[in-house]
């Protein structure tokens, strides 16, 4: 049985983008686009999730993802409870699932979960009551589906919906990155023309993963003519001490400076999921420069999460 779909094929949870079709991705992105608003404008709100309660359970640090999931749920009229999982009963040995079952008795309708262990999100999803939905907010190095969607939405806004025409370069610690995995799934399902993976050997994913990606050892080769340059943070927390590259050396070989960015197309956009290590994977002048769409990514995070919450928790009746 599919781990995230109902019997009728609709999405009951969002754990991964791996089985989403292009039509489903397009529908989610179009739905999200309706919730995008200009900075300074009053954000769109409705009562689509009126009476529902969502719990945020994060066992890894998060700023943007947690806040934007919370804002998304509130702007759709849901009540949101943030649970400090490290501080509460999980630290005393209670499993994530026991916590969830306790909360189910308190009439929660959905759980947003970030966890450092692969499989926990899917395990919870497989064991919650039938009316409850689970949303991944980042699973170990494995996936980060709403980030993949907001990255796709950001590309679409700046480069149009014809992904076939685009060359996207993902640069940096791809090996340990859930952001890269979900972005890869979204971009390939949307039909991207060319997808490049640019990383030093130790940060390149194992052979066989990212099968549609062309591998490049240096940004000098990998950035040439790219439309989109997606930089990644070095995931020190997922590496042994000896594997962590020296920041200055890394910047010299792989960091995105203004000079390196000139290898890409003149109208290329620069993305980064944040948090950024300025001066390690990206120069401040580029992160804050005219080609950067990093703030758009953050803004799009709320819109995408509104679309996901609404699609999953308020499915339209399926016509026979
Ligand atoms: C990312 C994450 O947690 O996976 N952050 C985010 O959600 N925007 C990327 C990272 O931590 O490097």
């Amino acid at each position: 049985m599919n781990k995230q779909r109902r019997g009728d094929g609709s999405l009951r949870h969002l754990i991964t983008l791996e089985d989403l079709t292009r039509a489903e991705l397009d529908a989610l992105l179009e739905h999200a686009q309706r919730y995008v608003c200009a900075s300074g404008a009053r954000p769109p709100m409705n009562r689509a999730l009126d009476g529902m309660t969502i719990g945020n359970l994060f066992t890894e640090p998060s700023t943007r993802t947690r806040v934007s999931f919370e804002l998304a749920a509130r702007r759709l009229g849901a009540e949101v409870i943030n649970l400090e999982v490290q501080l509460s009963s999980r630290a005393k040995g209670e499993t994530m699932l026991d916590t969830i079952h306790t909360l189910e008795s308190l009439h929660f309708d959905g759980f947003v979960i970030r966890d450092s262990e692969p499989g926990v999100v899917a395990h919870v999803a497989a064991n919650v009551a039938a009316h409850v939905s689970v949303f991944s907010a980042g699973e170990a190095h494995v996936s980060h589906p709403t980030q993949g969607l907001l990255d796709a939405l950001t590309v679409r806004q700046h480069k149009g919906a014809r992904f076939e025409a685009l060359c996207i370069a993902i640069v940096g610690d791809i090996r340990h990155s859930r952001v890269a995995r979900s972005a890869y799934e979204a971009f390939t399902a949307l039909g991207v023309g060319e997808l490049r993976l640019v990383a030093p050997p130790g940060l390149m994913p194992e052979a066989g993963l990212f099968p549609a990606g062309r591998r490049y050892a240096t940004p000098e080769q990998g950035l040439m003519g790219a439309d989109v340059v997606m930089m990644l943070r070095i995931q020190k927390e997922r590496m042994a001490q000896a594997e962590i590259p020296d920041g200055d050396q890394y910047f010299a070989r792989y960091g995105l400076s203004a000079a390196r960015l000139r290898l890409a197309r003149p109208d290329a956009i620069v993305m980064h999921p944040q948090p950024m290590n300025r001066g390690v994977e990206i120069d401040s002048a580029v992160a804050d420069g005219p080609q950067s769409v990093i703030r758009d990514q953050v803004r799009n995070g709320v819109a995408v999460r509104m679309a996901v919450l609404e699609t999953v928790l308020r499915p339209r009746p399926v016509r026979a």
Side-chain angles (χ1 to χ4, degrees):
M1 212 185 91
N2 184 294
K3 63 183 173 187
Q4 60 180 1
R5 292 181 190 270
R6 299 184 182 90
D8 66 5
S10 63
L11 283 172
R12 179 186 158 199
H13 308 291
L14 186 69
I15 300 168
T16 175
L17 298 181
E18 72 193 355
D19 65 346
L20 268 65
T21 62
R22 181 168 191 169
E24 285 176 312
L25 291 171
D26 279 333
L28 278 169
L29 298 182
E30 272 152 37
H31 190 159
Q33 187 58 43
R34 297 202 291 275
Y35 285 127
V36 174
C37 78
S39 96
R42 181 174 284 243
M45 294 191 194
N46 63 42
R47 308 294 301 165
L49 303 187
D50 202 11
M52 291 193 161
T53 305
I54 313 278
N56 281 337
L57 288 90
F58 284 59
T59 67
E60 280 191 334
S62 173
T63 309
R64 283 151 291 272
T65 305
R66 198 194 58 70
V67 171
S68 60
F69 255 117
E70 176 167 357
L71 282 177
R74 288 190 192 281
R75 288 180 186 165
L76 296 171
E79 202 166 347
V80 180
I81 306 286
N82 291 303
L83 291 121
E84 299 294 337
V85 194
Q86 281 113 324
L87 304 176
S88 69
S89 40
R90 199 177 186 220
K92 289 188 242 147
E94 192 180 15
T95 64
M96 175 77 94
L97 209 48
D98 286 335
T99 310
I100 298 270
H101 288 322
T102 302
L103 298 170
E104 273 181 346
S105 312
L106 302 172
H107 294 283
F108 278 65
D109 301 280
F111 296 104
V112 176
I113 299 175
R114 168 171 287 193
D115 202 81
S116 54
E117 250 178 77
V120 167
V121 185
H123 180 66
V124 171
N127 286 285
V128 286
H131 69 281
V132 173
S133 292
V134 171
F135 303 87
S136 170
E139 174 188 351
H141 63 284
V142 177
S143 73
H144 194 347
T146 54
Q147 180 76 37
L149 290 169
L150 76 87
D151 288 337
L153 181 62
T154 307
V155 171
R156 201 176 191 265
Q157 286 165 350
H158 290 274
K159 296 286 161 198
R162 282 197 61 242
F163 278 77
E164 294 79 356
L166 298 179
C167 169
I168 301 182
I170 303 181
V171 185
D173 184 7
I174 304 169
R175 189 184 189 95
H176 303 101
S177 175
R178 57 190 173 208
V179 173
R181 282 169 176 70
S182 288
Y184 173 85
E185 286 162 359
F187 295 152
T188 50
L190 290 164
V192 67
E194 187 178 347
L195 202 129
R196 299 180 183 170
L197 309 174
V198 186
L203 302 183
M204 197 55 102
E206 282 141 50
L209 296 174
F210 296 81
R214 283 199 199 161
R215 296 174 179 229
Y216 291 85
T218 68
E220 281 64 36
Q221 300 165 306
L223 295 190
M224 198 67 79
D227 299 287
V228 176
V229 181
M230 178 189 267
M231 304 306 295
L232 298 172
R233 182 176 68 86
I234 297 176
Q235 306 274 306
K236 290 185 187 161
E237 68 276 28
R238 304 190 206 287
M239 296 179 195
Q241 195 62 36
E243 292 174 291
I244 299 174
D246 170 83
D248 290 342
Q249 283 175 18
Y250 184 84
F251 184 75
R253 299 268 288 115
Y254 290 91
L256 190 62
S257 59
R260 269 200 186 119
L261 179 56
R262 282 196 284 277
L263 298 167
R265 287 177 57 95
D267 61 351
I269 56 169
V270 174
M271 303 173 67
H272 191 302
Q274 303 198 68
M276 279 184 275
N277 294 305
R278 292 167 181 265
V280 178
E281 66 260 359
I282 191 164
D283 191 9
S284 274
V286 174
D288 304 326
Q291 288 170 264
S292 170
V293 297
I294 294 171
R295 293 198 185 169
D296 293 5
Q297 289 174 270
V298 181
R299 178 197 64 183
N300 288 334
V302 181
V304 151
R305 289 170 180 123
M306 287 174 84
V308 165
L309 289 170
E310 202 177 344
T311 301
V312 170
L313 291 169
R314 284 270 179 254
R316 315 254 176 309
V318 178
R319 283 166 212 260

